[in-house]
């Protein structure tokens, strides 16, 4: 059994704050500050450029990729870190499209995060030749997978509502129709059990600064199924994805396996923070995290529905159909969230009307759930949100 009191002690959480936004930016693992300081002072400071060899910086993208792989059911040697998620979406899509050359359609859904859709549109524009993005409602994805679809690009857990797609089922459907399946795990990795190998996913991508707690700007990851590892051609063919980067050949030859999905110089300081964050994950079993996440989200929904009748549940009621977040709708959602944040309960707002709360068992328990419900009830009962200063939109919501 996972000791959640012990995992919680590994995070620095400001006093007086109930943090329900680890789905957007995970909090600071206590050990990360010292780990980053050591990388700065003892490695960068003392070793200078020799750190790439002596401190193992060059191996970090694959070494830490393997540690993330264990959390998402990936085979060893199939995950590598680098860049941001938007870039990794582009890379996965471009390689997958090239592997299905007789088809032109990328299928996604309207619940996907806009950046994924924008990257797909940009890629289609660059490719020309009839390539296009087709977007359907989330519940229509399965029926829309037909013989025209080259690649499905689905985010498993909807960033707004928390609705979860059935990865195994949609992947099987894609394969039956002759399409490849690209999965975005932004709201899955570290949130719910994922079994990429079991589901037969072709490509997957995700970020580390949400549930994995690597800190702002932490690198993304990409997974390529072993059966495609030597066939997938990288569209972003940077030097560190080359078979022999330090041969400085004028011609590109893809590196071995997942190494080819590297692009350029990796973010060493961010990876140091991620390494400390992953040490906490070594203390946790994903099945325990999931069970506790469900208990916490069920408790939150019951509490809010009893105390705040003006809020409408936007997440699936069945816990098996949602990730590790709960969302409610209200036309004044933005102002309500600002009033909550002013009182130390941090969630976030997603346009047009979604109040979003992430539940992260590594550091959130029943007391935080009950505390958040009590503050939300107070804000709603007294219309405490109805103040001009809560209605001015900040740049980041
Ligand atoms: C958070 C998120 C992103 C963010 O992409 P970055 O390039 O890391 O800014 C992209 N896609 C999805 C589905 C997300 O949830």
């Amino acid at each position: 059994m996972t000791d959640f009191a012990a995992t919680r002690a590994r995070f620095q959480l400001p006093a007086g704050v109930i943090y329900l936004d680890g789905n957007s930016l995970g909090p600071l693992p206590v050990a990360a500050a010292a780990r980053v300081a050591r990388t700065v002072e003892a490695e960068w400071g003392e070793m200078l450029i020799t750190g790439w060899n002596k401190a193992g910086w060059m191996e970090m993208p694959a070494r830490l990729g393997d540690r993330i792989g264990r959390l998402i059911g990936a085979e060893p040697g199939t995950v590598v870190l680098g860049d941001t998620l938007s870039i990794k979406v582009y890379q996965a899509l471009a390689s997958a499209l090239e592997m299905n050359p007789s088809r032109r359609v990328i299928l996604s859904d309207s619940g996907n995060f806009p950046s994924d859709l924008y990257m797909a549109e940009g890629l289609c524009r660059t490719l020309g030749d009839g390539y296009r993005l087709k977007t359907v409602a989330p519940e229509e994805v399965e029926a829309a997978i037909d013989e025209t679809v080259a690649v499905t690009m689905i985010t498993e857990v909807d960033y707004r509502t928390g609705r979860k797609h059935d990865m195994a089922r949609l992947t099987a459907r894609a394969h039956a129709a002759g399409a490849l399946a690209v999965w975005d795990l932004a709201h899955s990795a570290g949130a719910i059990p994922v079994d990429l190998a079991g589901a037969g996913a072709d490509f997957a991508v995700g970020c580390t600064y949400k549930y994995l707690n690597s800190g702002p700007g932490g690198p993304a990851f990409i997974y390529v199924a072993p059966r495609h590892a030597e066939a997938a051609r990288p569209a972003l063919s940077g030097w560190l994805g080359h078979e022999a980067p330090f041969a400085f050949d004028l011609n590109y030859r893809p590196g071995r396996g997942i190494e080819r999905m590297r692009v350029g110089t990796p973010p060493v300081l961010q990876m140091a923070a991620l390494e400390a964050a992953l040490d906490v994950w070594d203390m946790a079993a994903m099945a325990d995290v999931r069970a506790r996440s469900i208990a916490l989200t069920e408790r939150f929904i019951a509490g809010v529905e009893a105390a705040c009748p003006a809020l409408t549940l936007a997440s699936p009621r069945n816990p098996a159909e949602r990730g590790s977040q709960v969302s409610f709708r209200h036309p004044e959602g933005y102002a309500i969230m600002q009033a909550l944040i002013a009182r130390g309960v941090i969630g976030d707002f997603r346009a047009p009307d979604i109040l979003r709360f992430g539940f992260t068992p590594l550091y959130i328990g029943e007391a935080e759930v009950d505390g958040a419900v009590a503050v939300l009830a107070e804000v709603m009962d007294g219309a405490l949100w109805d103040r001009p200063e809560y209605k001015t939109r900040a740049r980041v919501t």
Side-chain angles (χ1 to χ4, degrees), residues 65-113:
D66 268 344
R67 292 184 71 183
I68 290 170
R70 287 201 286 279
L71 302 175
I72 54 175
E75 304 87 339
T78 57
V79 177
V80 76
L81 291 167
D83 317 296
T84 73
L85 177 51
S86 304
I87 302 288
K88 286 334 208 192
V89 165
Y90 186 96
Q91 262 190 315
L93 271 183
S95 291
L97 285 177
E98 208 177 339
M99 293 170 69
N100 207 354
S102 62
R103 299 187 183 188
R104 291 289 176 274
V105 174
I106 299 170
L107 179 69
S108 193
D109 72 70
S110 53
N112 205 344
F113 191 76

Coordinates of all heavy atoms in Angstrom, one line a residue, residues 65-113:
G65 N 13.1 9.1 -19.3 CA 12.0 8.6 -20.2 C 11.6 7.2 -19.7 O 10.4 6.9 -19.6
D66 N 12.5 6.4 -19.4 CA 12.2 5.0 -18.9 C 11.4 5.1 -17.6 O 10.5 4.3 -17.4 CB 13.5 4.2 -18.8 CG 13.8 3.4 -20.0 OD1 12.9 3.2 -20.9 OD2 15.0 2.9 -20.1
R67 N 11.8 6.0 -16.7 CA 11.1 6.1 -15.4 C 9.7 6.5 -15.6 O 8.8 6.1 -14.9 CB 11.9 7.0 -14.5 CG 13.2 6.5 -14.1 CD 13.9 7.4 -13.1 NE 13.3 7.4 -11.8 CZ 13.7 8.1 -10.7 NH1 14.7 8.9 -10.9 NH2 13.1 8.0 -9.6
I68 N 9.5 7.4 -16.6 CA 8.1 7.8 -16.9 C 7.4 6.6 -17.6 O 6.2 6.4 -17.3 CB 8.1 9.1 -17.8 CG1 8.5 10.3 -17.0 CG2 6.7 9.3 -18.4 CD1 8.8 11.5 -17.8
G69 N 8.1 5.9 -18.4 CA 7.5 4.8 -19.1 C 6.9 3.8 -18.2 O 5.8 3.2 -18.4
R70 N 7.5 3.6 -17.0 CA 6.9 2.7 -16.0 C 5.6 3.1 -15.5 O 4.7 2.3 -15.0 CB 7.9 2.5 -14.8 CG 9.1 1.7 -15.2 CD 9.8 1.2 -13.9 NE 10.5 2.2 -13.1 CZ 11.7 2.6 -13.4 NH1 12.4 2.1 -14.4 NH2 12.3 3.5 -12.6
L71 N 5.3 4.4 -15.5 CA 4.0 5.0 -15.1 C 2.9 4.9 -16.1 O 1.7 5.1 -15.8 CB 4.2 6.4 -14.6 CG 5.2 6.7 -13.5 CD1 5.3 8.2 -13.2 CD2 4.8 6.0 -12.2
I72 N 3.3 4.6 -17.4 CA 2.3 4.7 -18.4 C 2.3 3.4 -19.3 O 1.8 3.3 -20.4 CB 2.6 5.9 -19.4 CG1 4.0 5.9 -19.9 CG2 2.2 7.2 -18.7 CD1 4.3 7.0 -21.0
G73 N 2.8 2.3 -18.7 CA 2.8 1.0 -19.3 C 3.5 0.9 -20.6 O 3.2 0.2 -21.5
A74 N 4.7 1.6 -20.7 CA 5.5 1.6 -21.9 C 6.6 0.6 -21.7 O 7.2 0.5 -20.6 CB 6.1 3.0 -22.2
E75 N 7.0 0.0 -22.8 CA 8.1 -1.0 -22.7 C 9.4 -0.2 -22.5 O 9.5 1.0 -22.9 CB 8.3 -1.7 -24.1 CG 7.0 -2.5 -24.5 CD 6.0 -1.6 -25.3 OE1 6.0 -0.4 -25.2 OE2 5.2 -2.2 -26.0
P76 N 10.5 -0.8 -21.9 CA 11.7 -0.1 -21.7 C 12.3 0.4 -23.0 O 12.1 -0.3 -24.0 CB 12.7 -1.2 -21.1 CG 11.7 -2.2 -20.5 CD 10.5 -2.2 -21.3
G77 N 12.9 1.6 -23.0 CA 13.5 2.1 -24.2 C 12.6 2.6 -25.3 O 12.9 2.7 -26.4
T78 N 11.4 3.0 -24.8 CA 10.4 3.5 -25.8 C 10.0 5.0 -25.6 O 9.1 5.5 -26.3 CB 9.1 2.6 -25.8 OG1 8.6 2.6 -24.5 CG2 9.4 1.2 -26.3
V79 N 10.5 5.6 -24.5 CA 10.1 6.9 -24.2 C 11.3 7.8 -24.0 O 12.3 7.4 -23.5 CB 9.3 6.9 -22.8 CG1 8.9 8.3 -22.4 CG2 8.1 6.0 -22.9
V80 N 11.2 9.0 -24.6 CA 12.3 10.0 -24.5 C 11.7 11.4 -24.2 O 10.6 11.7 -24.6 CB 13.2 9.9 -25.7 CG1 12.5 10.7 -26.9 CG2 14.6 10.5 -25.5
L81 N 12.5 12.2 -23.5 CA 12.1 13.5 -23.1 C 12.6 14.6 -24.0 O 13.7 14.4 -24.6 CB 12.6 13.8 -21.7 CG 12.1 13.1 -20.5 CD1 13.0 13.3 -19.3 CD2 10.7 13.5 -20.2
G82 N 11.9 15.7 -24.0 CA 12.5 16.9 -24.7 C 11.4 17.8 -25.2 O 10.3 17.4 -25.4
D83 N 11.8 19.1 -25.4 CA 10.9 20.0 -26.1 C 9.6 20.2 -25.2 O 9.5 19.9 -24.1 CB 10.5 19.6 -27.5 CG 11.8 19.1 -28.2 OD1 12.7 19.9 -28.4 OD2 11.9 17.9 -28.5
T84 N 8.5 20.7 -25.9 CA 7.3 20.9 -25.1 C 6.3 19.9 -25.8 O 6.5 19.4 -26.9 CB 6.7 22.3 -25.2 OG1 6.2 22.5 -26.6 CG2 7.8 23.4 -24.9
L85 N 5.1 19.8 -25.1 CA 4.1 18.8 -25.6 C 3.7 19.2 -27.0 O 3.5 18.3 -27.8 CB 3.0 18.8 -24.6 CG 1.8 17.9 -25.0 CD1 2.2 16.5 -25.4 CD2 0.8 17.8 -23.8
S86 N 3.5 20.5 -27.3 CA 3.0 20.9 -28.6 C 3.9 20.3 -29.7 O 3.5 19.8 -30.7 CB 2.9 22.4 -28.7 OG 2.0 22.9 -27.7
I87 N 5.2 20.5 -29.4 CA 6.2 20.0 -30.4 C 6.1 18.5 -30.5 O 6.3 17.9 -31.6 CB 7.6 20.4 -29.9 CG1 7.8 21.9 -29.7 CG2 8.7 19.8 -30.8 CD1 7.8 22.7 -31.0
K88 N 5.9 17.8 -29.4 CA 5.9 16.3 -29.4 C 4.6 15.8 -30.2 O 4.7 14.8 -30.8 CB 6.0 15.7 -28.0 CG 7.4 15.8 -27.4 CD 8.5 15.8 -28.3 CE 9.8 15.2 -27.9 NZ 10.9 15.6 -28.9
V89 N 3.6 16.6 -30.1 CA 2.3 16.3 -30.8 C 2.6 16.3 -32.3 O 2.3 15.4 -33.1 CB 1.2 17.3 -30.5 CG1 0.1 17.2 -31.5 CG2 0.7 17.0 -29.0
Y90 N 3.3 17.4 -32.7 CA 3.7 17.5 -34.1 C 4.5 16.4 -34.6 O 4.3 15.8 -35.7 CB 4.4 18.9 -34.3 CG 4.7 19.3 -35.7 CD1 3.9 20.2 -36.4 CD2 5.9 18.9 -36.3 CE1 4.1 20.6 -37.7 CE2 6.1 19.3 -37.6 CZ 5.3 20.1 -38.3 OH 5.6 20.5 -39.6
Q91 N 5.5 16.1 -33.8 CA 6.5 15.0 -34.2 C 5.7 13.6 -34.3 O 6.0 12.9 -35.3 CB 7.5 14.8 -33.1 CG 8.8 15.4 -33.2 CD 9.8 15.0 -32.2 OE1 9.4 14.9 -31.0 NE2 11.0 14.6 -32.6
A92 N 4.9 13.3 -33.4 CA 4.2 12.0 -33.4 C 3.3 12.0 -34.6 O 3.2 11.0 -35.4 CB 3.4 11.8 -32.1
L93 N 2.6 13.1 -34.8 CA 1.6 13.1 -36.0 C 2.3 13.0 -37.3 O 1.9 12.2 -38.2 CB 0.9 14.5 -36.0 CG -0.4 14.6 -35.2 CD1 -1.0 16.0 -35.4 CD2 -1.4 13.5 -35.6
A94 N 3.4 13.7 -37.4 CA 4.1 13.7 -38.7 C 4.7 12.3 -39.0 O 4.5 11.8 -40.2 CB 5.3 14.7 -38.7
S95 N 5.2 11.7 -38.0 CA 5.8 10.3 -38.2 C 4.6 9.3 -38.6 O 4.7 8.5 -39.4 CB 6.5 9.8 -37.0 OG 7.7 10.5 -36.9
A96 N 3.5 9.5 -37.8 CA 2.4 8.5 -38.0 C 1.8 8.7 -39.4 O 1.5 7.7 -40.1 CB 1.4 8.7 -36.9
L97 N 1.7 10.0 -39.8 CA 1.1 10.2 -41.2 C 2.0 9.6 -42.3 O 1.5 9.0 -43.2 CB 0.9 11.7 -41.4 CG -0.2 12.4 -40.7 CD1 -0.1 13.9 -41.0 CD2 -1.6 11.9 -41.1
E98 N 3.3 9.7 -42.1 CA 4.2 9.2 -43.1 C 4.1 7.7 -43.2 O 4.4 7.1 -44.2 CB 5.6 9.7 -42.7 CG 6.5 9.8 -43.9 CD 7.9 10.3 -43.6 OE1 8.1 10.9 -42.5 OE2 8.8 10.1 -44.4
M99 N 3.7 7.0 -42.1 CA 3.6 5.6 -42.1 C 2.3 5.1 -42.7 O 2.1 3.9 -42.8 CB 3.8 5.1 -40.6 CG 5.2 5.3 -40.1 SD 5.3 5.0 -38.3 CE 5.1 3.2 -38.3
N100 N 1.4 6.0 -43.0 CA 0.1 5.6 -43.6 C -0.1 6.5 -44.8 O -1.1 7.2 -44.9 CB -1.0 5.8 -42.5 CG -2.2 4.9 -42.7 OD1 -2.2 4.1 -43.7 ND2 -3.1 4.9 -41.8
P101 N 0.7 6.3 -45.8 CA 0.8 7.3 -46.9 C -0.4 7.4 -47.8 O -0.5 8.4 -48.5 CB 2.1 6.9 -47.7 CG 2.3 5.5 -47.4 CD 1.7 5.3 -46.0
S102 N -1.2 6.4 -47.9 CA -2.3 6.5 -48.8 C -3.5 7.3 -48.3 O -4.5 7.5 -48.9 CB -2.8 5.1 -49.2 OG -3.2 4.4 -48.1
R103 N -3.4 7.7 -47.0 CA -4.6 8.4 -46.4 C -4.2 9.8 -46.0 O -3.0 10.1 -45.8 CB -5.1 7.6 -45.2 CG -5.5 6.2 -45.6 CD -6.2 5.5 -44.4 NE -6.6 4.2 -44.7 CZ -7.3 3.4 -43.9 NH1 -7.6 3.9 -42.7 NH2 -7.6 2.2 -44.2
R104 N -5.2 10.7 -45.8 CA -5.0 12.1 -45.6 C -5.6 12.7 -44.4 O -5.5 13.9 -44.2 CB -5.5 12.9 -46.9 CG -4.7 12.6 -48.2 CD -3.4 13.3 -48.1 NE -2.5 13.0 -49.2 CZ -1.7 11.9 -49.3 NH1 -1.7 11.0 -48.4 NH2 -1.0 11.7 -50.4
V105 N -6.4 12.0 -43.6 CA -7.2 12.6 -42.6 C -6.6 12.3 -41.2 O -6.3 11.1 -40.8 CB -8.7 12.1 -42.6 CG1 -9.5 12.6 -41.4 CG2 -9.3 12.5 -43.9
I106 N -6.5 13.4 -40.4 CA -6.2 13.2 -39.0 C -7.5 13.4 -38.3 O -8.2 14.4 -38.5 CB -5.2 14.3 -38.5 CG1 -3.9 14.3 -39.2 CG2 -5.0 14.3 -36.9 CD1 -3.0 15.5 -38.9
L107 N -7.9 12.4 -37.4 CA -9.2 12.5 -36.7 C -8.9 12.9 -35.3 O -8.1 12.3 -34.6 CB -9.9 11.2 -36.8 CG -11.3 11.2 -36.0 CD1 -12.3 12.1 -36.7 CD2 -11.8 9.7 -35.9
S108 N -9.6 14.0 -34.8 CA -9.6 14.3 -33.4 C -10.9 14.7 -32.9 O -11.9 14.6 -33.7 CB -8.5 15.5 -33.2 OG -8.3 15.6 -31.8
D109 N -11.0 15.2 -31.7 CA -12.3 15.6 -31.2 C -12.3 17.0 -30.6 O -11.3 17.5 -30.2 CB -12.9 14.5 -30.2 CG -12.2 14.5 -28.9 OD1 -12.4 15.5 -28.1 OD2 -11.5 13.5 -28.6
S110 N -13.5 17.6 -30.5 CA -13.7 19.0 -30.1 C -13.3 19.1 -28.6 O -13.3 20.3 -28.1 CB -15.1 19.4 -30.4 OG -16.0 18.6 -29.8
G111 N -13.1 18.0 -27.9 CA -12.7 18.2 -26.5 C -11.2 18.2 -26.3 O -10.7 18.4 -25.2
N112 N -10.5 18.1 -27.5 CA -9.0 18.1 -27.4 C -8.5 19.5 -27.0 O -9.2 20.5 -27.2 CB -8.4 17.7 -28.7 CG -7.0 17.1 -28.5 OD1 -6.4 17.3 -27.5 ND2 -6.6 16.4 -29.5
F113 N -7.3 19.6 -26.5 CA -6.7 20.8 -26.1 C -6.4 21.6 -27.4 O -5.8 21.0 -28.4 CB -5.4 20.6 -25.3 CG -4.8 21.8 -24.7 CD1 -5.4 22.3 -23.5 CD2 -3.7 22.3 -25.2 CE1 -4.8 23.4 -22.9 CE2 -3.1 23.5 -24.6 CZ -3.7 24.0 -23.5

